[in-house]
Amino acid sequence: KGWQANPVEFDHILNRSSVSWAMGSPDIVPLFTKGIKHAHGASYDADLQDFSSGNLAKLDVWSFDHLETLLERAKQPPPGGKETAAEALRLENVPHSSSRKHSRRLATVRSQTFESTGSAARRAEGTIDPEDAWAGVAHGPELERQLRQDRVVIFLHLLGCDSNGHAFRPYSPEYLDNVQLVDEGVRRAEQLVEAFFQ
């Protein structure tokens, strides 16, 4: 069983939430979302966690991208609906990374992970387009209503640093770059959340 299942049920914050979204490792996210109707989960393919597959910062990029897509879905009109100018502009004014070095590194990791075309190709290589991952989740005004209610939890499981620490050792360039990438990703996530909820 290992990480795949818990021998006993346990109480946790997603269980106590009114609605929650969790994104990250397929070994962790289902532990908190399976069987909970108000908990939505999105996970990358388990093959992406392979230590021999190179730099594992892509795992963290995946989670940050899915958070951004989730918040962007709330400003999209429902199928056949119309969005207002205010909804269209809500997240557009959030600044992207001010660090050119980090931006280049993040772009490199993204291109190594996400540049295949089409959902089938992304699934075949172990990645899923963020929009595809949230396909079963509401969007537009309904998603915005859910995000704005009390007791909402958004959970990002960031496995890259841990995995790069095991694969390349702490203080390696891969590990230190991943720490910096996560710092910048958290800064960006904070900006997105602040902009969304202002």
Side-chain angles (χ1 to χ4, degrees):
K1 289 187 177 189
W3 288 102
Q4 299 302 318
N6 288 298
V8 295
E9 289 185 21
F10 65 102
D11 196 13
H12 52 78
I13 192 168
L14 274 69
N15 191 35
R16 297 280 182 123
S17 68
S18 59
V19 64
S20 59
W21 293 268
M23 53 217 80
S25 171
D27 296 332
I28 302 300
V29 168
L31 295 176
F32 296 100
T33 59
K34 187 176 178 182
I36 301 173
K37 291 180 182 178
H38 62 270
H40 307 282
S43 298
Y44 40 77
D45 190 279
D47 292 342
L48 277 182
Q49 300 174 132
D50 180 6
F51 282 30
S52 65
S53 68
N55 191 333
L56 295 165
K58 61 190 171 189
L59 304 178
D60 299 333
V61 171
W62 191 98
S63 294
F64 288 126
D65 281 352
H66 281 69
L67 169 64
E68 188 164 354
T69 299
L70 178 70
L71 296 176
E72 287 174 351
R73 280 178 67 86
K75 70 176 183 165
Q76 295 173 352
K82 296 179 181 178
E83 69 180 332
T84 66
E87 289 170 333
L89 294 172
R90 182 174 295 124
L91 296 179
E92 289 178 8
N93 294 325
V94 177
H96 285 275
S97 170
S98 58
S99 163
R100 285 191 179 149
K101 183 178 179 183
H102 168 75
S103 295
R104 284 193 305 270
R105 185 180 318 110
L106 188 57
T108 300
V109 172
R110 276 201 173 109
S111 68
Q112 292 169 351
T113 308
F114 298 109
E115 272 197 354
S116 296
T117 57
S119 299
R122 282 190 289 274
R123 283 192 186 92
E125 69 173 27
T127 63
I128 298 175
D129 183 274
E131 193 62 35
D132 292 345
W134 295 124
V137 173
H139 65 281
E142 174 57 20
L143 178 56
E144 181 164 7
R145 183 195 64 74
Q146 291 176 11
L147 283 164
R148 292 185 181 280
Q149 61 188 325
D150 290 336
R151 296 182 8 251
V152 169
V153 174
I154 299 174
F155 172 76
L156 275 73
H157 183 251
L158 304 173
L159 186 60
C161 284
D162 181 45
S163 299
N164 273 330
H166 288 291
F168 298 103
R169 302 290 176 231
Y171 304 108
S172 66
E174 293 84 358
Y175 178 81
L176 295 174
D177 283 350
N178 200 161
V179 169
Q180 192 171 9
L181 183 140
V182 168
D183 283 347
E184 191 61 36
V186 168
R187 187 176 300 112
R188 170 81 175 140
E190 179 185 15
Q191 292 169 341
L192 288 168
V193 168
E194 287 291 327
F196 184 87
F197 289 103
Q198 62 175 304

